[in-house]
Amino acid sequence: MVTTLEERMRTVRFRVDDRPHILVNAGICKDCSVRACVYVCPANLFVPLDDGGILFNYEECFECGTCYIACDKEGAIQWSYPRGGYGVTFREA
Amino acid sequence: MALLSKATSLALVQNVHRLVGLPNGFPPPEAPPAPRVRLRAPGTRSAEHVDVAVIGAGPAGSAAALIAARAGLKVLLLERGEYPGAKNVSGAAFYGSAIMDELIPRWWEQAPVERYLSRRVLAFMAPETSVALDFRSARFAEPPYNGVAILRPKFDRWFADQAVAAGAFLLNAAVVDDVLWEDGRVAGVRVRRDGGDIRADVVIACDGANSLIAKKAGLQRQFHAHEMSLGVKEVLALDEATIRERFQLSGNDGMAVEYIGSITEEVSGGAFLYTNRNTLSLGIIGQISSLAQHKRRPYELLEGFKAHPAVAPLVRGGTVREYSAHIIPEAGWNMLPKLATGGMMVAGDAAALCFVAGLYLEGINYAILSGIAAGETAIAAYHEQDFSAASLARYETALKARHVLGDFHGYRHAPAMVNSERLQNLYPAVIAHAAEQIFRVRGEPKQKIGPIALEALRQHKVAPVELIQDMLNAGRSFGW
Ligand SMILES: Cc1cc2nc3c(=O)[nH]c(=O)nc-3n(C[C@H](O)[C@H](O)[C@H](O)COP(=O)(O)OP(=O)(O)OC[C@H]3O[C@@H](n4cnc5c(N)ncnc54)[C@H](O)[C@@H]3O)c2cc1C
Ligand code: SF4
Ligand code: SF4
């Protein structure tokens, strides 16, 4: 039985902050051919667009840090934690 | 599980609020934190003062806070999650029972322990075959237990409660953004709230693998993608009787399996499966640089792991209770930060003290050991009222005394060895191939094992020189 990522993500609880804790600089991403973020993000939050840009949504983020560690373009990802108590809340992990 | 009564915990919450000047009732139990709360009244000049501020209520932070609070120091434990463990992910097989027993005698009688790990399996995986080493010990099923399966959101909450019971103040939903400096040494923490500066004689950064604080304080450098791995995990619901039957376990005995080889396909990494009381914890771990290089998505590798013919029957019928992800510092000795400076120490994953080498994935026990060492150093510094870099440099001595640094130095060659292409994919395939030949019955004359092994090596194009080199390398990494 195959579990889709959407089904997996539905099992996770997020308290979404109204301010994004991660900012992705679209201008820098446009010139990136590596696209490491697209593959490594465990929540699939980086979506490549037809025009060469990247669509990013911070809302269902695990706050793991993988994206900024994988990305080697200076300044592309501005990364921090959400405000206290917001973001992902694991109950079983 | 010995939880604090509601009344006691409320009193403690109120204490914390007095300590940091918060209005009583914040945050309401189980309710979201109100934004923009002041840590001290506006207009007051001096920030609140504590003896020790611990950043992060994971195993390192709770151990440090517990030790220091027990010695009578005023300790503030700051956690960014809604509760301790809310942000934390491990396998989790916890191999620090004996250490924990020193801190909290017979801790397993009150802690949320899932199962006692009396069965350990190491499986070498090839795409369709696998060879496993299956170890059982009756002694591992007796107190103080060699290893236990735990779930971090439950375990961390319990452990932080022990620190609170020892007198530490726990503040949840508090993100530390930076340390404060004074006269060239660390003198406190900046919590992300209005007026969130808290002065502390000693700051202990236990903020985990992604330690922003150790970097901000200049003690840790930026990481390379080959030094970090990503773990993605699922908790699967399966009833108790099925778990016992399927894994041949009695009572609360449990099993831990580590998978190495091609289980993460061409990506450097491995997989794990642990039995809990009525769930399974399983996941894959992949080196971040390797995931990016091979353009592989972690959740697809997880799906591939669950579909492997040796794994599928074990997880059949399990429904996903929770999916999670977290990073692991993998480079060990080669990525240790500067461990201490004036007014500050770094412990646990934040100090890269996570022991990862193929069959080993031990971070919780080293986090606790280093947390204890940091707590003890803070106590000594407090008694002398000397928080200088020279005074806190004794932390390194304390880590050596607890064999932490010795373990990491001894295995300093292991991470590179384990992540090498040949060890990741080639040798497990050779072993699985040879095993298949050994067990296959064709009605032809039985071959001896020596020629089978040589043939397997030849078919997989392993040059004798390489093999000898790798054996020496493995010896140097693991053997002597
Ligand atoms: C998939 C996976 C499987 C693993 N399996 C095992 C296993 O089976 N056995 C084992 O021993 N180890 C295992 N590990 C390793 C283990 O999880 C870590 O070594 C261990 O959690 C380290 O403990 P710590 O206290 O140093 O850090 P953490 O447990 O990461 O705790 C850090 C704490 O600090 C908080 N925090 C972070 N930043 C801030 C901030 N700025 N302000 C306030 N709070 C902050 C976090 O919310 C968290 O509570 C595994 C890891 C992963 C990812
Ligand atoms: S975030 Fe980094 S890796 Fe991803 S597209 Fe932008 S520059 Fe490339
Ligand atoms: S922190 Fe982790 S989950 Fe969040 S966007 Fe980056 S890679 Fe994805």
Side-chain angles (χ1 to χ4, degrees):
Chain A
M1 199 190 69
V2 177
T3 316
T4 64
L5 182 65
E6 289 65 37
E7 286 167 328
R8 283 203 177 88
M9 294 305 292
R10 272 203 292 279
T11 65
V12 194
R13 191 176 123 195
F14 296 96
R15 243 176 65 70
V16 180
D17 195 350
D18 49 12
R19 315 169 204 176
H21 58 286
I22 297 175
L23 295 173
V24 179
N25 187 325
I28 295 178
C29 294
K30 267 202 158 28
D31 300 325
C32 169
S33 56
V34 183
R35 300 284 155 110
C37 57
V38 173
Y39 301 102
V40 300
C41 173
N44 194 24
L45 300 180
F46 294 81
V47 181
L49 299 174
D50 290 342
D51 66 356
I54 289 278
L55 180 70
F56 174 75
N57 186 326
Y58 69 96
E59 290 179 4
E60 299 200 334
C61 167
F62 288 119
E63 302 151 36
C64 66
T66 307
C67 51
Y68 87 82
I69 293 169
C71 171
D72 54 13
K73 284 239 190 319
E74 189 70 36
I77 298 180
Q78 206 183 318
W79 202 96
S80 88
Y81 290 121
R83 276 184 295 165
Y86 287 92
V88 69
T89 295
F90 294 122
R91 290 152 297 169
E92 307 255 0
Chain B
M1 187 172 144
L3 271 179
L4 292 168
S5 74
K6 207 156 186 149
T8 342
S9 57
L10 198 70
L12 284 165
V13 168
Q14 286 169 358
N15 267 336
V16 178
H17 296 155
R18 253 199 306 285
L19 175 84
V20 294
L22 282 172
N24 278 338
F26 176 86
E30 306 299 332
R36 297 185 347 101
V37 170
R38 291 175 201 287
L39 282 170
R40 63 187 159 88
T44 53
R45 295 204 36 220
S46 65
E48 292 296 333
H49 179 271
V50 294
D51 298 323
V52 181
V54 180
I55 309 169
S62 288
L66 187 149
I67 285 277
R70 243 186 217 165
L73 277 62
K74 188 163 152 187
V75 179
L76 179 60
L77 179 55
L78 296 149
E79 168 56 47
R80 69 183 188 88
E82 204 175 306
Y83 47 79
K87 305 285 186 185
N88 303 343
V89 184
S90 292
F94 171 46
Y95 297 109
S97 187
I99 308 155
M100 196 66 130
D101 198 24
E102 273 177 42
L103 283 183
I104 301 156
R106 303 189 73 76
W107 69 280
W108 54 84
E109 289 174 358
Q110 41 160 316
V113 167
E114 295 290 324
R115 283 179 184 276
Y116 307 114
L117 299 170
S118 57
R119 187 173 171 206
R120 278 196 79 170
V121 176
L122 178 65
F124 299 89
M125 307 298 279
E128 278 160 3
T129 46
S130 67
V131 181
L133 199 79
D134 191 338
F135 177 77
R136 276 179 191 256
S137 168
R139 273 191 298 280
F140 282 6
E142 288 163 10
Y145 305 104
N146 183 62
V148 300
I150 56 168
L151 294 166
R152 294 287 304 276
K154 297 172 186 173
F155 178 83
D156 286 14
R157 231 171 158 163
W158 168 81
F159 195 20
D161 278 343
Q162 307 311 303
V164 169
F169 301 102
L170 168 67
L171 191 59
N172 288 319
V175 190
V176 176
D177 275 332
D178 209 342
V179 291
L180 307 175
W181 292 87
E182 198 177 280
D183 303 329
R185 72 168 194 85
V186 172
V189 293
R190 172 154 296 158
V191 179
R192 196 187 302 172
R193 279 181 183 153
D194 287 354
D197 288 1
I198 298 169
R199 296 176 49 80
D201 291 328
V202 179
V203 172
I204 308 179
C206 301
D207 52 335
N210 194 10
S211 180
L212 301 183
I213 298 299
K215 285 182 203 151
K216 280 207 174 135
L219 300 183
Q220 181 62 291
R221 58 174 168 77
Q222 292 297 328
F223 304 123
H224 302 295
H226 66 265
E227 296 172 320
M228 284 283 180
S229 282
L230 168 68
V232 294
K233 176 187 167 184
E234 275 178 7
V235 173
L236 293 185
L238 210 58
D239 67 87
E240 242 180 290
T242 308
I243 290 179
R244 279 202 201 106
E245 211 172 296
R246 198 173 280 186
F247 297 93
Q248 300 155 22
L249 303 167
S250 38
N252 287 333
D253 286 359
M255 162 164 146
V257 195
E258 324 296 335
Y259 298 86
I260 58 178
S262 67
I263 193 63
T264 43
E265 301 180 33
E266 68 276 52
V267 173
S268 289
F272 61 86
L273 187 151
Y274 305 128
T275 54
N276 301 317
R277 203 164 288 254
N278 53 14
T279 55
L280 300 178
S281 291
L282 60 131
I284 62 106
I285 289 164
Q287 192 184 28
I288 295 179
S289 56
S290 186
L291 285 166
Q293 184 199 338
H294 297 289
K295 301 193 185 306
R296 294 309 307 268
R297 296 170 187 257
Y299 38 92
E300 288 171 4
L301 296 179
L302 176 62
E303 202 56 52
F305 166 52
K306 287 169 71 180
H308 189 282
V311 182
L314 302 179
V315 301
R316 192 174 42 228
T319 49
V320 184
R321 283 261 286 263
E322 193 169 66
Y323 172 57
S324 56
H326 202 281
I327 55 167
I328 305 169
E330 284 244 355
W333 186 257
N334 302 310
M335 64 188 292
L336 285 190
K338 190 164 184 277
L339 293 163
T341 185
M344 178 170 175
M345 289 172 274
V346 190
D349 269 16
L353 293 170
C354 187
F355 197 91
V356 193
L359 61 163
Y360 301 114
L361 171 45
E362 298 180 19
I364 306 167
N365 45 338
Y366 286 102
I368 293 176
L369 279 171
S370 57
I372 295 174
E376 286 172 346
T377 309
I379 296 165
Y382 174 81
H383 287 307
E384 296 159 17
Q385 285 295 299
D386 178 1
F387 308 102
S388 64
S391 168
L392 298 187
R394 284 177 290 185
Y395 173 43
E396 211 163 297
T397 319
L399 283 173
K400 283 186 188 135
R402 294 195 171 268
H403 311 295
V404 175
L405 291 184
D407 287 359
F408 280 85
H409 185 256
Y411 279 80
R412 67 194 176 284
H413 300 298
M417 163 92 204
V418 164
N419 277 328
S420 74
E421 175 57 30
R422 290 209 290 277
L423 210 75
Q424 279 288 322
N425 290 322
L426 191 57
Y427 292 125
V430 172
I431 293 171
H433 179 110
E436 188 170 343
Q437 298 310 312
I438 290 168
F439 294 126
R440 190 182 282 281
V441 180
R442 287 200 186 87
E444 292 166 9
K446 269 229 179 310
Q447 261 192 305
K448 288 199 139 173
I449 291 180
I452 290 181
L454 285 178
E455 178 58 20
L457 286 168
R458 200 189 57 77
Q459 277 200 17
H460 288 270
K461 299 193 177 64
V462 182
V465 181
E466 278 173 0
L467 180 66
I468 291 167
Q469 249 170 19
D470 286 338
M471 281 167 73
L472 283 173
N473 229 333
R476 188 176 65 141
S477 302
F478 289 92
W480 52 83

